[in-house]
């Protein structure tokens, strides 16, 4: 396995990588700087088509646009590199965190806790209605689906746990929560995640300097080192979805000096695995 620093973004809080197969580019966000990053591995080109107050994550819509999840319960669309149609979908004083589209085009989206309340997990349906899935969440994070689409994974970072639920594709309902991975002794905290084509789970480790791969039973298979501490999320990309892109945090995008020159960069891990195309959202906003 080799690890390559591909873009020196120095993100404060790089997160949410997603491969756009139509454009053959990787998107990810720097949440606290409000920047949407875009990288073309074929040419090496990198830019930030959107800069706003906060942007916590994106999904790819079925028409190829992006759905952008922001702060104060707001969601907008990114069309041709421009943020449009921003609307409030939930009454929240905080920001969204991790998001994922489900097989039917809905979006599961978590909000961060505040001093007066815990985080939550919501489901945004295709008609724009919102359902509360979980309350009392410390920090809602990485999500995914099993290959048979019958189970849903949800990471609660402060609980050191990846949960697994029964998932009903027709209704979007989740139930029967169980602990899939509980790792209080593992260096770092579980953060973003993805599921590969074999059904294995890849979990980024915040303050753990690594990515951990688990099998479908929750047994650790491998641990891959990343040369910076705050590893935030992972996504497979490239023409064959065989490159594992890794986002990180702890940098200063405005050029301030830091002790860790790798903090906040985008990395690529060449691993003996491949991903699956991400499900696309199909949400209609007013």
């Amino acid at each position: 396995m080799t690890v390559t620093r591909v873009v020196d973004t120095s993100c404060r809080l790089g997160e949410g990588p997603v491969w756009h197969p139509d454009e053959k580019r990787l998107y990810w966000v720097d949440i606290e700087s409000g920047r949407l990053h875009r990288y073309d591995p074929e040419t090496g080109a990198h830019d930030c088509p959107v800069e706003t107050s906060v942007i916590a994550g994106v999904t790819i819509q079925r028409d190829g646009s992006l759905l952008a999840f922001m702060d104060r319960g707001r969601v907008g669309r990114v069309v041709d590199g421009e943020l449009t149609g921003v609307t409030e979908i939930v009454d929240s004083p905080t920001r969204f965190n991790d998001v994922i589209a489900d097989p039917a085009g809905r979006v599961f989206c978590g909000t961060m806790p505040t001093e007066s309340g815990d985080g939550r997990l919501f489901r945004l349906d295709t008609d724009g209605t919102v359902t509360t899935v979980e309350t009392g969440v410390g920090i809602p994070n990485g999500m995914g689906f099993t290959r048979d689409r019958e189970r849903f994974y949800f990471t609660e970072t402060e609980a050191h746990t990846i949960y697994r639920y029964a998932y009903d594709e027709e209704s979007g309902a989740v139930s029967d929560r169980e602990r899939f991975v509980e790792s209080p002794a593992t260096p770092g905290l579980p953060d973003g995640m993805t599921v590969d084509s074999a059904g294995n789970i890849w979990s980024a480790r915040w303050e753990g300097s690594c990515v951990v791969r688990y099998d479908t039973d929750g047994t650790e298979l491998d641990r891959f080192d990343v040369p910076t501490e705050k590893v935030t999320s992972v996504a497979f990309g490239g023409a064959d979805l065989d490159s594992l892109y890794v986002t990180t945090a702890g940098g200063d995008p405005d050029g301030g000096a830091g002790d860790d020159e790798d903090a906040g960069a985008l990395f690529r891990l060449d691993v003996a695995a491949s991903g699956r195309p991400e499900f696309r959202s199909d949400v209609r906003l007013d």
Side-chain angles (χ1 to χ4, degrees):
M1 193 278 298
T2 58
V3 55
T4 304
R5 186 173 65 183
V6 293
V7 185
D8 297 327
T9 44
S10 299
C11 291
R12 288 194 181 94
L13 188 52
E15 262 284 8
V18 60
W19 177 256
H20 198 313
D22 301 349
E23 300 181 9
K24 297 180 173 56
R25 292 187 287 199
L26 185 82
Y27 285 89
W28 73 103
V29 299
D30 187 354
I31 296 176
E32 295 179 353
S33 298
R35 295 173 181 172
L36 175 66
H37 290 268
R38 181 170 59 185
Y39 169 67
D40 183 341
E42 182 67 25
T43 64
H46 161 256
D47 65 348
C48 296
V50 171
E51 295 191 33
T52 184
S53 57
V54 171
I55 183 165
V58 297
T59 60
I60 303 170
Q61 289 269 82
R62 288 185 178 167
D63 65 3
S65 64
L66 303 180
L67 205 60
F69 291 75
M70 304 168 66
D71 56 349
R72 304 194 303 280
R74 300 182 304 152
V75 179
R77 291 181 66 216
V78 179
V79 181
D80 296 329
E82 294 188 7
L83 180 64
T84 64
V86 176
T87 184
E88 180 183 293
I89 65 165
V90 294
D91 182 10
S92 174
T94 184
R95 64 168 174 83
F96 287 103
N97 199 38
D98 219 327
V99 300
I100 192 171
D102 83 347
R106 313 174 190 94
V107 180
F108 286 87
C109 45
T111 55
M112 293 291 286
T114 66
E115 292 182 0
S116 59
D118 292 324
R120 297 189 176 194
L121 178 65
F122 298 97
R123 188 187 70 239
L124 173 60
D125 287 348
T126 57
D127 63 0
T129 60
V130 177
T131 300
T132 301
V133 176
E134 289 283 9
T135 60
V137 179
I139 296 179
N141 240 310
M143 293 171 275
F145 297 88
T146 55
R147 289 197 302 170
D148 60 11
R149 303 183 181 184
E150 294 183 355
R151 301 284 182 182
F152 169 70
Y153 298 108
F154 172 56
T155 302
E156 186 176 350
T157 295
E158 289 193 338
H160 291 245
T161 300
I162 302 173
Y163 293 104
R164 183 169 59 185
Y165 300 72
Y167 164 73
D168 182 70
E169 183 176 342
E170 183 175 351
S171 67
V174 298
S175 60
D176 301 327
R177 187 177 80 171
E178 62 182 358
R179 292 182 184 272
F180 174 68
V181 169
E182 187 175 15
S183 54
T186 300
L189 304 171
D191 202 322
M193 61 160 281
T194 193
V195 181
D196 68 20
S197 59
N200 296 318
I201 291 84
W202 298 72
S203 173
R205 291 287 155 165
W206 175 262
E207 296 184 340
S209 302
C210 66
V211 175
V212 181
R213 178 169 62 167
Y214 298 97
D215 68 11
T216 55
D217 294 324
T219 301
E220 182 176 327
L221 298 175
D222 303 285
R223 189 171 300 193
F224 301 92
D225 293 334
V226 179
T228 190
E229 184 180 40
K230 296 177 179 177
V231 182
T232 57
S233 195
V234 289
F236 284 95
D240 298 318
L241 296 177
D242 57 357
S243 293
L244 186 69
Y245 287 98
V246 181
T247 53
T248 66
D252 184 349
D254 298 320
D259 296 331
D260 182 357
E261 64 178 13
D262 289 319
L266 176 72
F267 293 88
R268 184 183 67 244
L269 272 62
D270 297 316
V271 295
S274 61
R276 305 173 299 174
E278 294 289 339
F279 298 118
R280 296 197 182 200
S281 52
D282 192 24
V283 175
R284 297 181 298 278
L285 298 174
D286 292 333

